[in-house]
Amino acid sequence: MHSSADQLSVGLAACDCLTPFGDAAATTAALLADRRALALSPVLGRDGGDLVPLALTGPMDETLPPRWLPGLQRLATGIPSAAWGTARHPVIITSSNYGVGSLYAFTRDHDARHLAHGTPFASVALLRTEFGWGEHVHVFSHACVTAHLGLAHGARLLHAGLADRVLVFSFDFVSPFVAGGFHSLKILNGVLPAPYAQRDTGSIGLGDGAAFAVLTPEPAPFRLAAHALHNEMFHFTSNQPDGAGFAACAAAIAAAAAGRRVWIKGHGTGTLEAGRLEAEVLARWFPAAPLVSWKGSLGHTLGSCGLVELAIAVAAWRGPEERIPGTVGSAAPCFTDNVALEPFAPAEFDGAILTSNAFGGAHAALLLAHD
């Protein structure tokens, strides 16, 4: 367990994402317009099944080459040129799914070509070939805090003088295997998610998402100023009922953010217990900070959510409308009064707290500074 905040400030030289709405700018515009990418779709793709909320960039069933590759190719065109994958310019890849959809497709089609990119190692090898990256690639996978771990690792490499710039690249695309797994837990059901709303039935949505960030030791308008990580190791899926894990992570990042005026991009999947614990803890530690979640529109992009939502936060903050999207898909009454249902202006803030939480009580938060 680790709940202290690492003061490893690094500049954000570039950042963008891919969602069903498009890039970060297009996604921000859609969120400000209160649009949902989620739609009720068969949980097993072409094999049907119950209708559940999914936000997809295309048909969910895996293809050859893998269905996620064209989107990642488009996203990668925005990455600044560098000798990525070399010792001084390492790449950090974060995902919870990698090519698992291809393994599932192999069990259905028995086409051995799916195996060429079905494992984390194989899917990373495919990306290296497609993008010309060298061998210095670090791979992370720790459920829904994965992108946060990659960003923190990149900051540590820079602070240790082991790199000049770091590329963090994340992708998670929904497959019948992933959707079916969440459906079996009854949290992916036929109800659209309403993050932080008090209601009788909780639910989540799942979404396709990918993003990248280029980290630099040089000054930049946006900085990742601190990271906090905490793991309860309490249960396979649930959190400690008293919210102690949420509180430990919040306390650490609150210490790093002392003196700043912050707003909060929460995890906010739409579940009831975890949503209530998160909202209550954040209201206690940051009573003046508006709390938003965008998963009621985009769905949960799993291990990539921390980076996808970072790109949206930056795009919204510097966008032409100068508005931060509110909590799309939710409605009063909410668990706490700090939940922002409508967009708001970021002019009075000089920082944002971005949080992610994962199965088993893993918690992560980062401080995004904008001075």
Side-chain angles (χ1 to χ4, degrees):
M1 294 186 294
H2 179 54
S3 55
S4 64
D6 290 323
Q7 303 282 345
L8 301 174
S9 181
V10 297
L12 198 57
C15 193
D16 204 354
C17 71
L18 169 71
T19 77
F21 289 128
D23 63 9
T27 300
T28 299
L31 294 174
L32 289 170
D34 204 38
R35 293 173 55 196
R36 283 187 190 256
L38 289 168
L40 294 179
S41 306
V43 67
L44 297 179
R46 75 183 191 207
D47 287 343
D50 294 337
L51 298 180
V52 298
L54 303 176
L56 304 173
T57 55
M60 182 168 57
D61 295 286
E62 199 51 87
T63 59
L64 289 165
R67 77 176 189 91
W68 39 264
L69 186 58
L72 298 190
Q73 290 170 328
R74 293 194 302 274
L75 177 66
T77 62
I79 299 173
S81 297
W84 297 119
T86 59
R88 302 301 301 178
H89 293 82
V91 177
I92 300 171
I93 300 182
T94 71
S95 176
S96 57
N97 290 342
Y98 287 97
V100 71
S102 293
L103 291 184
Y104 182 76
F106 172 72
T107 68
R108 298 198 303 182
D109 301 342
H110 305 292
D111 188 331
R113 290 178 296 171
H114 288 299
L115 300 178
H117 36 73
T119 64
F121 175 83
S123 57
V124 168
L126 175 59
L127 292 180
R128 284 185 55 204
T129 299
E130 287 291 326
F131 303 144
W133 294 339
E135 63 182 7
H136 290 270
V137 175
H138 307 209
V139 179
F140 281 76
S141 187
H142 189 79
C144 305
V145 299
T146 307
H148 280 264
L149 297 181
L151 291 166
H153 180 61
R156 289 169 180 163
L157 291 175
L158 291 172
H159 273 259
L162 298 175
D164 297 324
R165 283 198 168 194
V166 176
L167 170 62
V168 185
F169 191 90
S170 193
F171 69 106
D172 277 284
F173 286 70
V174 183
S175 70
F177 177 81
V178 172
F182 277 89
H183 187 48
S184 70
L185 296 173
K186 308 302 182 187
I187 57 173
L188 182 66
N189 48 49
V191 180
L192 289 168
Y196 306 126
Q198 295 189 43
R199 58 179 186 168
D200 294 334
T201 301
S203 64
I204 70 168
L206 295 178
D208 291 342
F212 74 83
V214 175
L215 309 184
T216 174
E218 302 163 359
F222 290 92
R223 293 182 292 111
L224 305 187
H227 302 265
L229 306 170
H230 181 84
N231 201 331
E232 302 173 31
M233 301 296 290
F234 175 73
H235 186 272
F236 286 113
T237 58
S238 64
N239 301 277
Q240 295 184 71
D242 62 359
F246 289 95
C249 192
I253 204 66
R260 287 192 174 272
R261 296 157 295 152
V262 301
W263 57 275
I264 303 174
K265 190 292 302 172
H267 190 59
T269 61
T271 56
L272 297 183
E273 181 184 60
R276 176 182 59 79
L277 291 174
E278 181 189 25
E280 290 176 352
V281 165
L282 292 174
R284 185 162 66 248
W285 281 98
F286 303 94
L291 169 64
V292 301
S293 168
W294 301 318
K295 293 184 178 69
S297 170
L298 304 176
H300 191 347
T301 52
L302 302 171
S304 298
C305 66
L307 191 45
V308 169
E309 292 167 354
L310 170 63
I312 296 168
V314 171
W317 211 332
R318 67 184 180 192
E321 295 194 45
E322 296 184 346
R323 304 280 287 174
I324 305 299
T327 304
V328 178
S330 194
C334 295
F335 293 127
T336 54
D337 293 336
N338 60 328
V339 177
L341 298 176
E342 301 297 328
F344 58 90
E348 65 182 273
F349 302 103
D350 60 5
I353 304 296
L354 282 67
T355 71
S356 294
N357 307 302
F359 278 157
H363 305 275
L366 65 83
L367 172 60
L368 175 65
H370 182 44
D371 299 317

